[in-house]
Amino acid sequence: MEYSLVCIECGREYEREDVYTCECGGLLEVRIDDTEIDFRLDGKELRVWKYGCLLPVKIEPISLKEGGTPLYECDRIGKEVGCKVFVKHEGANPSGSFKDRGMTVGVTKAIELGKSAVACASTGNTSASMAMYAAKAGLMAYVLLPAGKVALGKVAQALMHGAKVIGIKGNFDQALALVRQICAMQGFYLLNSVNPFRLEGQKTIAYEIVDELGFVPDKVVLPVGNAGNISAIWKGFKELKRFGLIDSLPKMIGVQAEGANPIYKAVKEKKDDIEPVLNPETIATAIRIGQPVNARKALRAIYESKGTAVQVSDEDITKAQKDLASKEGIGVEPASAASIAGLRKLAENGEIERDETVVCITTGHLLKDPEAVLRACGKPIEVEPSVEAILKVL
Ligand code: AN7
């Protein structure tokens, strides 16, 4: 398969692959040339590399068997909001988040380019996933985190998989600016979602949704932080249409937390770029991001698809997290619950129709953030070791 890197702003094409952004400052996108499709959307054997003919790598991939995540029909929540609701649970990936789809491609690209070290800034999940895939590939991994603002499970993963983990006394946006400088100085391969190859892996979420459902949903709802995933999924749907595999497209709905809402504000004001939020704050630490690097791509995805963005409060997020866990048996981290909170917000706003099908993406697993669970549910009751004491509290 042939492809090139193209700037989304000025259209300049790059032959070299070790670039992240255009000389004009614009974001790059992988443009796939016309090619033979060697998979069928038959609902069988879903996984990222099923769609390898549309993924831009030239060597055997570094894989931990990512993708093929469950798509659950959620009748209870569907009844409440008044449409057919499916949840695609990306928490079921090897590291517990959707980032694995991007990392299998990104880390493979690092090997292809002859790199010996990879690096990222992260609100947690990117670092956990990168550390895992770097371990599998035998690469050094360097991680910058906003100190004290990353969920415990994610830090645990990055540490155990052998990354060098550094806490920055600042927020994610500052950490990202710093890691970009460090990568340029040290020759580390940058694996944040400004890397266009990572987004190629993440577009397989769109492929799998159509593969499993057998049709194109009306809406896809997902949390937006650095705004890579919404851009990637939209690209995936557009490619399926371009290659004649589907003939309609869904509306893309981005959900942000009220305290970290630059994309929401831009959409509300119909702007094509964001004003950064300087001190982003939310319990959904994964999306505690004020200056999303992929904002321009994400806003295009929302406008082109005739979608929208909504914002939800931390309270809405916690309620949605409990709902999904206790009514549907799906355990997700707070950022992921934002998709369900966003769906409820759409329903409240009258933006859901009775016969439509909505797919919510739950991006990360419940166990990523055990401390958020204890805050939401309290600690277990402790009693004396006797039948009487237990019966008393039942
Ligand atoms: C669970 O790990 O940015 O809009 O550094 O972990 O593509 O950034 C995580 C983002 C949603 C937002 N849900 O996705 C990181 C990081 C979860 C996440 C998002 C993240 P993007």
Side-chain angles (χ1 to χ4, degrees):
M1 185 259 287
E2 302 291 316
Y3 58 88
S4 45
L5 285 176
V6 181
C7 174
I8 69 159
E9 304 294 346
C10 74
R12 176 162 171 189
E13 279 186 42
Y14 288 80
E15 291 283 315
R16 307 170 38 204
E17 295 189 40
D18 58 343
V19 282
Y20 310 107
T21 49
C22 182
E23 272 171 24
C24 80
L27 295 166
L28 297 176
E29 181 169 82
V30 177
R31 192 172 61 201
I32 310 276
D33 294 349
D34 287 337
T35 184
E36 288 282 306
I37 301 294
D38 68 3
F39 59 82
R40 290 180 48 182
L41 298 177
D42 54 8
K44 290 184 193 147
E45 293 180 64
L46 273 61
R47 59 198 162 84
V48 166
W49 293 99
K50 173 176 179 178
Y51 316 99
C53 66
L54 294 177
L55 296 173
V57 302
K58 299 167 189 127
I59 59 171
E60 192 60 30
I62 306 294
S63 172
L64 289 162
K65 307 200 178 185
E66 50 291 313
T69 53
L71 185 72
Y72 298 116
E73 185 162 357
C74 295
D75 291 336
R76 292 212 176 99
I77 290 178
K79 258 204 198 96
E80 289 169 13
V81 296
C83 68
K84 228 179 191 8
V85 175
F86 290 86
V87 163
K88 185 154 177 71
H89 190 24
E90 287 295 297
N93 273 298
S95 81
S97 86
F98 70 99
K99 306 283 183 183
D100 296 350
R101 294 178 186 273
M103 286 302 166
T104 183
V105 175
V107 167
T108 301
K109 188 56 71 180
I111 297 286
E112 233 181 71
L113 295 173
K115 300 283 184 176
S116 54
V118 292
C120 68
S122 183
T123 58
N125 281 322
T126 296
S127 69
S129 182
M130 188 187 81
M132 264 181 77
Y133 283 84
K136 178 79 179 172
L139 295 171
M140 298 285 294
Y142 298 97
V143 167
L144 299 191
L145 303 177
K149 293 290 185 179
V150 174
L152 189 59
K154 305 173 188 181
V155 183
Q157 287 176 294
L159 288 169
M160 184 51 94
H161 289 296
K164 176 98 186 174
V165 180
I166 302 164
I168 300 294
K169 295 174 185 167
N171 61 32
F172 168 82
D173 304 294
Q174 292 166 306
L176 181 57
L178 287 165
V179 81
R180 290 175 80 165
Q181 289 177 49
I182 302 283
C183 283
M185 289 165 68
Q186 301 290 317
F188 302 159
Y189 193 54
L190 178 65
L191 280 175
N192 281 100
S193 56
V194 67
N195 181 320
F197 292 105
R198 236 197 70 191
L199 297 186
E200 289 299 292
Q202 291 172 211
K203 75 186 179 184
T204 59
I205 291 178
Y207 299 170
E208 286 188 8
I209 288 172
V210 177
D211 204 340
E212 181 146 6
L213 273 183
F215 60 91
V216 179
D218 297 287
K219 293 190 173 86
V220 174
V221 183
L222 72 157
V224 172
N226 220 13
N229 211 27
I230 193 169
S231 315
I233 295 172
W234 176 239
K235 183 173 191 282
F237 281 112
K238 281 199 301 185
E239 283 176 356
L240 290 183
K241 185 149 183 272
R242 183 182 139 206
F243 287 105
L245 296 164
I246 58 175
D247 46 31
S248 67
L249 292 166
K251 293 185 164 75
M252 302 298 299
I253 317 290
V255 186
Q256 294 206 293
E258 282 175 357
N261 63 355
I263 299 277
Y264 166 78
K265 283 198 294 190
V267 171
K268 194 163 169 237
E269 293 163 18
K270 300 191 170 62
K271 291 194 178 143
D272 62 5
D273 208 349
I274 55 144
E275 296 269 357
V277 169
L278 292 181
N279 296 301
E281 209 46 85
T282 166
I283 53 152
T285 50
I287 52 171
R288 186 175 169 275
I289 295 174
Q291 197 166 354
V293 73
N294 288 298
R296 297 269 295 168
K297 283 186 181 175
L299 288 167
R300 284 186 192 192
I302 289 170
Y303 295 137
E304 275 177 27
S305 73
K306 303 191 168 55
T308 190
V310 293
Q311 64 172 353
V312 294
S313 68
D314 282 359
E315 241 175 15
D316 297 337
I317 289 173
T318 302
K319 182 176 175 301
Q321 188 188 20
K322 283 183 163 175
D323 265 5
L324 203 50
S326 64
K327 292 181 183 165
E328 302 288 354
I330 305 172
V332 306
E333 66 167 288
S336 308
S339 61
I340 299 297
L343 171 67
R344 289 196 187 281
K345 187 60 69 89
L346 287 176
E348 271 169 44
N349 296 349
E351 292 179 76
I352 295 285
E353 277 156 50
R354 186 131 279 293
D355 56 351
E356 68 179 2
T357 300
V358 180
V359 175
C360 293
I361 317 274
T362 55
T363 43
H365 198 278
L366 171 72
L367 293 174
K368 291 282 191 171
D369 194 348
E371 289 163 317
V373 176
L374 293 183
R375 282 197 300 274
C377 303
K379 290 196 180 136
I381 314 162
E382 281 183 23
V383 298
E384 294 305 317
S386 75
V387 168
E388 209 182 28
I390 295 166
L391 289 179
K392 219 180 202 170
V393 297
L394 280 186

